[in-house]
Amino acid sequence: MTGVFLFAAVAGWTTLAAQIDSDVYDFLFRLQRPTLGRPSSVIYGIDERTLTQSGGLRNIRGILADGVERLAACKPKALLVDIVLADPTDAANAGRLAAALSTIPYVVLATDLTPRHGWEQPLGILPRRALGHVHADPDPYDNVVRQVPLEKISGRERHWALSLEALRAMQPAVTIEEDPKAITIGGTRLPGKREDGRPMLIRFGAMPEVTLADLADNPANCAPFTGKAVFLGLTAQSAAQDRHPTPISFGESMVGVAIHANAYETLAQRAFLRPVGNLESILFALALALAASAIFYFYSGWPAYTLAAGLLAVTHVIPWYAFQAGIIFPYTAPLLAAWLGIAAAATFQYFSTRRALHKAEADRSRYQEAIHFVAHEMRSPLTAIQGSSELMGRYKLPEEKRAQMAQMINAESKRLARMIQTFLDVERLGEGEMQLKRETFELTALVQVCLDRARPLADRKRIPIELASMENTTLTGDRELMEYALYNLLTNAVKYSPPETTVTIRAAKQGHSVHLSVRDQGVGIEPSDLKKIFQKFYRTRSAEKGPEMGTGIGLSIVEQIVTHHGGRIEVESSPGAGSCFTMVLPAQDRVPAGGPMR
Ligand code: ADP
């Protein structure tokens, strides 16, 4: 899940993600057009008609002088000129323009950065209260203007944006405070570093426009201008070069003067659109990834999928809702975090459920096998107990015989109890639930007990069990289980050997381990069967055909016991030549008193 989150966070930083975020921003913008209140500004445009009626761009000074003279009569509060008036030609009209400008209470002239010469300054004779920069800052990837840099610095000269200068003209009481990381306008903090130009997202809307030709036709129509911030600039398609697409332009471009007027309205109405910070967006993505994993941790099946679909819906809807409140959420990183988070959590759940299912199935069949084994193994002592008790009940037996039978019943029921206990222990051992007892005991004592127990069976087949070399050592572990293991090897050796052969027990120390082996001269095992005989319920074909009863579970238990004691079991065998099973167990170095046993 961490990987998913990191991937989403990193992917969210890529150019592609930035472009998708921008497109979604534009889409949301068009979808719910953040509306502006009544504008306190107006565009005073030099359109095609104005230009054709007044001699075209060559006469721009004359056009401006006429326009500003007429405007002055309408008493605007401020005039923002979005044309850089740096050209020194046409001195006569420049003089007329200067005189007209001086009749307007607050004039801001445009300045712009030129690639070579820094700030382009308007003519000195033109009166102004301030200079505002008119750089629009389109997106480098798609040329769309979404924001305006409120501050531009070149060399030692810094200028506020034309729109911010308009705010200073219209609302002189509004405080503008700056710090290295943000600018605070009228108490609203807008994050943005000085070196990044302190960009401000523009809340684009429809702006009123009156052309210079309109006012010339009807000079008495002053209402649109009185007391307003008037943005004067070129709007003619053929002349305005600073045109850019905007989120609401639908393929058409917006002229620079309209962009600045929109930026001014955003500021004047404090209608800011604020992008959430990096930390917030990372936390949002993280929360979504965590929510995805929580869903699949606590639920499964349809409830989980329904909740996951809900989470995705929320992820899609949150940026939309936030946009209405003027908060801009990134889109790609949270969406990736949610989608990938859900996919990863669902996949993980699928595989872990499958694993759990397999385990449950294996457990069930193991349990059935175990029941089968118990039932089978219990039959012989039970038959003995049943038979003896029936005899005792039905006939009047001599006292000696009765005592013998009672003793037999007692011994058999003890064997039964021991068998059940061993079985339960082995079951719990397999499930890792049982703590092995840690007793210390002598190897020779262990061998002796098993030998005594197996001897009656061996005697029946006239098989002597011989002790060859016997190096004694101390073993640590569960004595009862170890006895079970060795006894099983001995009975197998006897079971799978013809009468009048020999079984040999050998114990030899090698380094820190002891090799305890049981060798017989029996039927032997095919090489292909050597691995399989340790599987539960596996019996070789010859064993199945032979007279000896068996369940095929003994060796699997022996192997489990030996491995739980930190050892291993080895087997050497060839058909017809007998077998040798060796338990390799960790031994303690101390040689106990008593010496080797013979
Ligand atoms: P069981 O003896 O009840 O069949 P085991 O798990 O003890 O089950 O043994 C599994 C199989 O391994 C036996 O069925 C037999 O085919 C083979 N096997 C075990 N011990 C010997 C042996 N000493 N000689 C030959 N085959 C053996």
Side-chain angles (χ1 to χ4, degrees):
M1 200 40 70
T2 321
V4 163
F5 163 68
L6 286 178
F7 176 78
V10 171
W13 281 96
T14 58
T15 318
L16 178 67
Q19 199 51 59
I20 295 172
D21 284 352
S22 298
D23 288 344
V24 171
Y25 174 80
D26 295 351
F27 173 73
L28 288 177
F29 211 113
R30 288 194 288 273
L31 196 68
Q32 45 182 332
R33 279 284 177 101
T35 45
L36 283 167
R38 264 170 66 95
S40 57
S41 62
V42 59
I43 296 167
Y44 189 32
I46 302 168
D47 67 341
E48 299 288 357
R49 193 161 73 93
T50 311
L51 285 177
T52 32
Q53 283 178 359
S54 320
L57 266 185
R58 270 172 298 130
N59 184 33
I60 185 73
R61 294 286 157 76
I63 295 171
L64 285 173
D66 289 345
V68 175
E69 276 166 14
R70 273 184 214 108
L71 179 71
C74 289
K75 301 215 174 326
K77 193 163 175 184
L79 173 64
L80 300 304
V81 183
D82 179 34
I83 298 167
V84 183
L85 299 163
D87 188 353
T89 54
D90 196 4
N93 278 326
R96 268 182 62 218
L97 178 58
L101 287 174
S102 63
T103 60
I104 309 271
Y106 201 118
V107 173
V108 180
L109 295 184
T111 179
D112 202 358
L113 271 175
T114 52
R116 292 246 194 92
H117 308 293
W119 291 109
E120 208 179 1
Q121 300 286 348
L123 294 173
I125 59 157
L126 301 175
R128 84 292 299 263
R129 286 279 285 272
L131 291 180
H133 84 76
V134 288
H135 188 77
D137 201 19
D139 186 310
Y141 298 110
D142 58 10
N143 202 34
V144 174
V145 169
R146 298 185 181 88
Q147 55 189 21
V148 62
L150 291 178
E151 184 178 5
K152 235 17 204 154
I153 302 173
S154 173
R156 311 188 93 207
E157 209 175 318
R158 183 275 296 270
H159 289 290
W160 293 123
L162 192 69
S163 48
L164 191 55
E165 287 295 351
L167 181 76
R168 275 154 48 103
M170 297 296 285
Q171 301 178 17
V174 169
T175 52
I176 299 171
E177 290 152 18
E178 358 166 15
D179 62 64
K181 285 193 177 157
I183 182 166
T184 307
I185 296 168
T188 307
R189 188 180 152 89
L190 299 176
K193 292 191 193 141
R194 172 170 289 147
E195 57 267 31
D196 299 340
R198 307 194 192 280
M200 178 193 75
L201 287 170
I202 304 171
R203 197 178 276 245
F204 289 99
M207 293 297 300
E209 180 185 341
V210 180
T211 68
L212 270 67
D214 291 340
L215 192 61
D217 292 347
N218 186 6
N221 183 21
C222 270
F225 299 104
T226 314
K228 296 278 174 60
V230 178
F231 283 83
L232 170 56
L234 283 161
T235 57
Q237 292 272 355
S238 57
Q241 269 153 31
D242 58 340
R243 306 171 70 87
H244 293 283
T246 65
I248 57 163
S249 60
F250 292 103
E252 259 185 55
S253 298
M254 186 182 271
V255 287
V257 66
I259 293 172
H260 297 308
N262 273 292
Y264 161 73
E265 288 300 335
T266 309
L267 284 162
Q269 301 183 27
R270 313 279 188 278
F272 302 117
L273 293 162
R274 274 166 296 171
V276 297
N278 287 334
L279 180 67
E280 285 93 334
S281 54
I282 285 176
L283 286 179
F284 181 49
L286 181 64
L288 290 170
L290 287 178
S293 25
I295 287 174
F296 285 91
Y297 182 79
F298 292 111
Y299 300 94
S300 59
W302 282 114
Y305 293 124
T306 314
L307 283 172
L311 182 69
L312 283 179
V314 167
T315 315
H316 283 270
V317 163
I318 280 184
W320 185 75
Y321 255 105
F323 195 96
Q324 291 183 326
I327 297 164
I328 310 304
F329 260 92
Y331 190 74
T332 322
L335 202 72
L336 276 179
W339 273 104
L340 294 179
I342 286 170
T347 315
F348 179 78
Q349 193 194 51
Y350 173 74
F351 282 109
S352 59
T353 315
R354 240 177 52 158
R355 208 172 335 136
L357 200 74
H358 277 169
K359 193 177 171 309
E361 274 172 8
D363 282 354
R364 211 187 48 190
S365 69
R366 208 164 55 94
Y367 184 74
Q368 282 173 346
E369 288 166 1
I371 293 288
H372 182 84
F373 165 72
V374 175
H376 191 271
E377 290 290 291
M378 280 178 179
R379 210 174 295 154
S380 52
L382 271 179
T383 317
I385 292 170
Q386 226 173 14
S388 310
S389 54
E390 260 179 35
L391 281 179
M392 283 166 80
R394 205 174 291 169
Y395 305 107
K396 217 170 160 9
L397 296 170
E399 193 51 40
E400 192 190 344
K401 192 85 188 156
R402 272 180 81 92
Q404 201 183 4
M405 277 188 170
Q407 199 194 0
M408 206 265 278
I409 289 174
N410 187 274
E412 286 298 296
S413 49
K414 273 188 187 147
R415 184 155 88 93
L416 207 56
R418 219 177 27 245
M419 214 158 82
I420 291 171
Q421 188 56 47
T422 310
F423 168 74
L424 289 177
D425 286 354
V426 169
E427 271 301 289
R428 278 157 57 204
L429 198 69
E431 283 168 14
E433 276 178 17
M434 196 178 84
Q435 289 270 312
L436 280 180
K437 280 191 222 143
R438 285 190 67 81
E439 304 157 293
T440 314
F441 51 91
E442 307 290 297
L443 177 69
T444 44
L446 173 81
V447 172
Q448 197 62 58
V449 169
C450 296
L451 203 62
D452 293 344
R453 215 180 281 164
R455 212 159 243 151
L457 193 74
D459 288 348
R460 247 177 270 159
K461 283 174 94 172
R462 296 179 303 287
I463 294 177
I465 302 178
E466 288 184 357
L467 285 173
S469 61
M470 179 61 48
E471 269 186 78
N472 196 14
T473 187
T474 307
L475 297 173
T476 308
D478 196 311
R479 183 178 173 149
E480 215 168 308
L481 291 180
M482 291 299 288
E483 279 177 9
Y484 182 92
L486 181 59
Y487 176 74
N488 249 275
L489 294 185
L490 283 174
T491 49
N492 273 354
V494 172
K495 265 162 69 178
Y496 301 110
S497 294
E500 292 169 359
T501 52
T502 309
V503 170
T504 318
I505 305 179
R506 201 173 254 111
K509 273 182 73 176
Q510 280 179 26
H512 292 291
S513 46
V514 59
H515 290 230
L516 178 60
S517 60
V518 176
R519 183 180 291 276
D520 63 51
Q521 298 167 337
V523 294
I525 303 160
E526 293 284 343
S528 58
D529 277 331
L530 279 182
K531 278 247 150 53
K532 298 185 194 155
I533 51 171
F534 293 101
Q535 292 169 6
K536 257 185 198 171
F537 305 105
Y538 186 82
R539 303 197 75 209
T540 60
R541 203 175 290 179
S542 59
E544 284 286 14
K545 279 194 219 139
E548 296 291 349
M549 294 289 286
T551 56
I553 203 168
L555 280 182
S556 81
I557 294 176
V558 172
E559 194 188 30
Q560 262 191 60
I561 292 172
V562 174
T563 41
H564 274 86
H565 280 83
R568 62 177 192 279
I569 186 149
E570 292 171 356
V571 55
E572 283 167 39
S573 183
S574 51
S579 316
C580 179
F581 286 82
T582 307
M583 295 196 277
V584 182
L585 295 162
Q588 288 181 358
D589 292 331
R590 189 170 61 86
V591 176
M597 184 174 78
R598 290 276 161 211

